Amino acid sequence: MGVGGKFWELLKSYARFEGFDFLRDKKVAIDLSFWIVQHETALKNQALNPHLGHTFFRTVNLFSKFGVFPVFVLDGTPSPLKSQARMVRFFRFSGIDTSTSNVAEEGVSKERNSTFKKCVNDCVELLELLGMPVLKANGEAEALCARLNRDGHVDACITADSDAFLFGATCVIKSLRPNSKEPFECYNMSDIEAGLGLKRKHLIAVSLLVGNDHDLNGVQGIGLDKALRLVRGFSEDEIFDKLYEIGKGHVPLFQGEIRCAADATPCSDESSPKAKQSHCSFCGHPGSKKVHFKSCCEYCITDSNEGCLKKSQGFKCNCSSCDKFMVSEYQVRKDKDKKKHENWWINVCNLISKETKFPNDEIIEMYMCNNHGEFTEKGPLLEWGDPKTDLLVDFLAYHQSWQPSYIRQRMLPMLSTLYLRELARNPNKTLLVGQYEFHSIQRVKIRYGHQYYEVKWKKAISNELSCAVPVEQSNMLEEEFTEVDDEPIGLLDESIEPQIHVDGCWILTDENPELVLSAFPEEALKFRQEKELKVMKRRKISTPRSEGSSEMSESSKPQGVQLSITEFYRTTKTPSQAKLGEDLVKQSSSPGVGSSKQKRKVSGSKLSKAVRRRLLFG
């Protein structure tokens, strides 16, 4: 999707690999259609409404794990060019010849099919119940994401469509993998400009040449390498004007040296190299070998003056003739390279001039315009509300057939994150989901290479109100968790499971340390101090003692401790083998006939095969 010709592979070398906390407390625009398409392509099983389940888990994890404020963007009515490109792509994948198919040249604006549209509407209803802002674009969703990013309303875009750079996006995240220690790829337009030397209009020109979502073919015979080489020859301000000239059949300047196509054929005789003067094969200097045998040349100086000296290996003549020839040869190579580049330039321009209506004004205007969404004077309305828990439980119970207790438990990470954020702003709020209060920080956990605080929440009130997780359903919940975990896991689809005590009076959740510190500064600082004291005590205990006290005798070691393999062989086999070696030395030193008998006697004892072989054969 986006620019053709493996455009993402070109940009991959300029990607930044960001860590887990890069997006914390930042606003991110998300192409919702991209998420839904991922669900449809990744899940081929019989899961019930996978688009709803995975959108729910992804949103909760993105909000709680990454600490992101997501903004979801929907596709609007596609342009006629986009509709036509979809039809052509469909015919290609179906094996139908597009040249004989009845495809309208100007295209027709058509909505997505009814099944996909229903998936989008279901996800929009789910996101609104979660309290997430949802915006609808006039055309492409990535266009509105890019405008939000360019105008500073969001900090980044999450989309796999490389068209976002053409619409003006400054920071694009292709994919997120929170269930991995690997950092994710983040593409900044500033890095692309510095690395490739291309700006936004250059990228648009490249897409016109190699193809895009609105024109799948591009210019026949021009790939990504040729397109990059062509657009780099012009500045951003003149690139579109030069494309218009080439499209009309005019060949513009090539690096300021070619004025027209006729100038590409040099006809001057001065550029042709002069013939090199003949040299002697014996001494390597100008002249013939026959003459040099009779008398030495002016370059060879000998006492007898009988002949020249034989040239050494790797000899190079420095006469004026050779110098002129080297200079002329270099000039010839330079002229040939120049002519080669000029011919390449003319051939590329001829390929472009063969295309009708190039460049397409509609595509350029579509990428450059700013009318991608309905905004007020103050900008888009981006507000994150509290989840409507009761309505959300009914919605997911109806569509996914999940138990209400299971839904509330999977929502708890999002609710606890909202609670900690609100508590940092308003310390008067004391209860989580109206029932649980902060008790303590249990320990530090490392999940997928990232640090969390395991926070203990204690039930503050005990009455007939419904708990977040009822006690009588705790055993049933454990079985339900196992079933749901068996479903395929995508990029952001692994749910966070808070631990639930058997009596239902307290729960454990994993929270971001900085968020806990802002909400409960005293408790967090106390936990850190206690942790530092424990670390210091361990260091003191593990410090080496004095040499006399550190050496323990073999008898003082506890008998119940399992020895390592080196200690085992040292304590059991080594003494017996040492004693056996001493006996063998004594026997070998005593002369006599009985020595061979004794050797055979020893070799016949209960020894290993390797030891007997060494005794017999020395």
Side-chain angles (χ1 to χ4, degrees), residues 292-556:
H292 288 186
F293 271 133
K294 295 179 180 180
S295 61
C296 65
C297 65
E298 57 180 335
Y299 298 95
C300 296
I301 302 175
T302 58
D303 297 336
S304 59
N305 198 19
E306 293 179 355
C308 294
L309 300 176
K310 186 177 181 180
K311 62 181 179 180
S312 59
Q313 188 176 3
F315 171 80
K316 281 188 178 182
C317 181
N318 296 324
C319 66
S320 58
S321 175
C322 292
D323 293 339
K324 291 180 180 179
F325 179 79
M326 293 296 292
V327 173
S328 60
E329 188 179 11
Y330 169 77
Q331 186 65 32
V332 169
R333 287 199 303 266
K334 185 178 179 182
D335 292 341
K336 286 184 178 180
D337 292 339
K338 179 182 175 182
K339 185 177 179 180
K340 180 181 178 181
H341 292 305
E342 290 170 353
N343 291 335
W344 175 89
W345 181 268
I346 295 172
N347 292 334
V348 171
C349 292
N350 290 335
L351 290 175
I352 296 175
S353 62
K354 293 179 182 179
E355 298 291 328
T356 58
K357 297 181 180 180
F358 184 89
N360 195 317
D361 295 331
E362 296 182 23
I363 297 178
I364 295 177
E365 184 179 357
M366 188 183 307
Y367 284 134
M368 295 300 297
C369 75
N370 292 322
N371 187 22
H372 300 299
E374 301 296 334
F375 291 169
T376 61
E377 295 180 357
K378 298 182 180 180
L381 184 61
L382 303 180
E383 293 182 355
W384 290 265
D386 294 333
K388 300 175 182 179
T389 308
D390 295 334
L391 295 177
L392 188 60
V393 169
D394 296 338
F395 178 82
L396 291 175
Y398 175 76
H399 287 87
Q400 301 298 110
S401 300
W402 291 347
Q403 293 294 329
S405 55
Y406 170 75
I407 300 171
R408 293 178 185 274
Q409 189 240 6
R410 293 303 174 99
M411 285 181 59
L412 191 55
M414 184 177 184
L415 297 175
S416 63
T417 301
L418 287 169
Y419 172 76
L420 293 175
R421 287 178 179 174
E422 183 64 25
L423 192 63
R425 294 191 297 264
N426 182 18
N428 296 327
K429 191 173 182 179
T430 56
L431 297 180
L432 172 63
V433 295
Q435 300 181 38
Y436 294 92
E437 62 181 356
F438 178 84
H439 182 269
S440 61
I441 302 175
Q442 296 294 306
R443 60 188 176 116
V444 177
K445 293 180 63 176
I446 305 295
R447 295 186 61 186
Y448 302 105
H450 310 303
Q451 192 178 83
Y452 295 92
Y453 279 170
E454 188 180 68
V455 179
K456 182 178 181 180
W457 307 87
K458 187 177 181 181
K459 193 171 183 180
I461 53 176
S462 56
N463 49 23
E464 297 180 357
L465 295 176
S466 61
C467 299
V469 182
V471 179
E472 62 272 14
Q473 296 181 358
S474 60
N475 295 331
M476 179 179 63
L477 286 176
E478 294 180 358
E479 298 178 358
E480 291 178 0
F481 302 155
T482 306
E483 293 178 1
V484 176
D485 288 342
D486 289 339
E487 295 181 0
I489 295 174
L491 300 181
L492 286 163
D493 304 324
E494 183 190 5
S495 60
I496 306 173
E497 299 182 9
Q499 300 179 14
I500 304 173
H501 198 267
V502 177
D503 58 10
C505 293
W506 55 270
I507 55 177
L508 295 173
T509 59
D510 299 335
E511 307 294 345
N512 178 260
E514 298 300 328
L515 194 57
V516 176
L517 179 62
S518 60
F520 302 100
E522 297 181 359
E523 292 81 354
L525 291 175
K526 182 180 178 181
F527 173 77
R528 291 184 179 183
Q529 292 175 358
E530 293 177 353
K531 184 182 177 182
E532 292 176 357
L533 290 175
K534 291 180 181 179
V535 173
M536 293 176 63
K537 288 182 180 180
R538 290 197 195 100
R539 290 177 180 176
K540 289 181 180 180
I541 294 174
S542 61
T543 51
R545 300 178 181 178
S546 61
E547 295 182 358
S549 60
S550 61
E551 296 179 357
M552 298 178 60
S553 60
E554 296 292 336
S555 60
S556 63

Side-chain angles (χ1 to χ4, degrees), residues 71-311:
V71 180
F72 293 90
V73 182
L74 309 178
D75 283 319
T77 303
S79 64
L81 291 174
K82 185 65 175 288
S83 300
Q84 182 181 1
R86 284 178 182 170
M87 296 171 66
V88 173
R89 186 184 290 114
F90 171 76
F91 288 140
R92 286 182 181 178
F93 290 160
S94 303
I96 303 175
D97 187 7
T98 57
S99 60
T100 60
S101 302
N102 186 16
V103 181
E105 293 183 358
E106 297 182 355
V108 181
S109 297
K110 293 185 178 180
E111 296 285 345
R112 296 284 183 100
N113 58 64
S114 58
T115 303
F116 187 82
K117 191 174 181 180
K118 182 180 181 301
C119 293
V120 173
N121 293 335
D122 292 341
C123 292
V124 169
E125 187 176 358
L126 173 64
L127 294 171
E128 290 177 348
L129 293 176
L130 287 170
M132 300 292 111
V134 180
L135 303 177
K136 185 173 183 179
N138 293 336
E140 301 296 322
E142 63 270 16
L144 183 54
C145 292
R147 183 186 173 187
L148 293 172
N149 186 210
R150 186 178 69 252
D151 295 344
H153 300 297
V154 298
D155 299 291
C157 307
I158 298 180
T159 179
D161 200 329
S162 55
D163 278 354
F165 296 106
L166 281 59
F167 286 111
T170 58
C171 181
V172 176
I173 298 172
K174 188 178 179 182
S175 63
L176 289 174
R177 298 183 181 273
N179 304 333
S180 173
K181 296 181 181 180
E182 299 294 331
F184 56 85
E185 297 177 2
C186 181
Y187 297 85
N188 292 300
M189 190 61 188
S190 58
D191 297 335
I192 297 174
E193 292 179 358
L196 291 176
L198 303 178
K199 296 186 178 181
R200 180 184 174 187
K201 291 183 179 180
H202 288 124
L203 298 181
I204 296 175
V206 170
S207 71
L208 295 173
L209 294 169
V210 302
N212 50 70
D213 285 343
H214 309 280
D215 180 16
L216 301 180
N217 297 323
V219 178
Q220 296 296 328
I222 295 183
L224 188 57
D225 294 335
K226 287 184 179 180
L228 291 174
R229 187 176 172 186
L230 177 68
V231 300
R232 280 173 177 158
F234 307 111
S235 64
E236 186 183 19
D237 297 332
E238 65 177 359
I239 180 64
F240 290 152
D241 296 334
K242 296 300 181 181
L243 290 181
Y244 282 118
E245 291 182 13
I246 297 174
K248 294 178 180 179
H250 302 292
V251 179
L253 295 175
F254 174 72
Q255 297 180 353
E257 298 178 2
I258 304 178
R259 298 181 180 275
C260 61
D263 297 337
T265 56
C267 57
S268 176
D269 296 334
E270 297 180 358
S271 60
S272 58
K274 296 181 180 180
K276 184 179 178 181
Q277 185 179 356
S278 61
H279 282 56
C280 175
S281 61
F282 184 75
C283 67
H285 295 130
S288 64
K289 183 177 180 181
K290 183 177 180 181
V291 176
H292 288 186
F293 271 133
K294 295 179 180 180
S295 61
C296 65
C297 65
E298 57 180 335
Y299 298 95
C300 296
I301 302 175
T302 58
D303 297 336
S304 59
N305 198 19
E306 293 179 355
C308 294
L309 300 176
K310 186 177 181 180
K311 62 181 179 180

Side-chain angles (χ1 to χ4, degrees), residues 27-38:
K27 301 174 184 178
V28 177
I30 302 172
D31 184 358
L32 182 60
S33 299
F34 166 60
W35 271 16
I36 298 176
V37 169
Q38 277 189 324

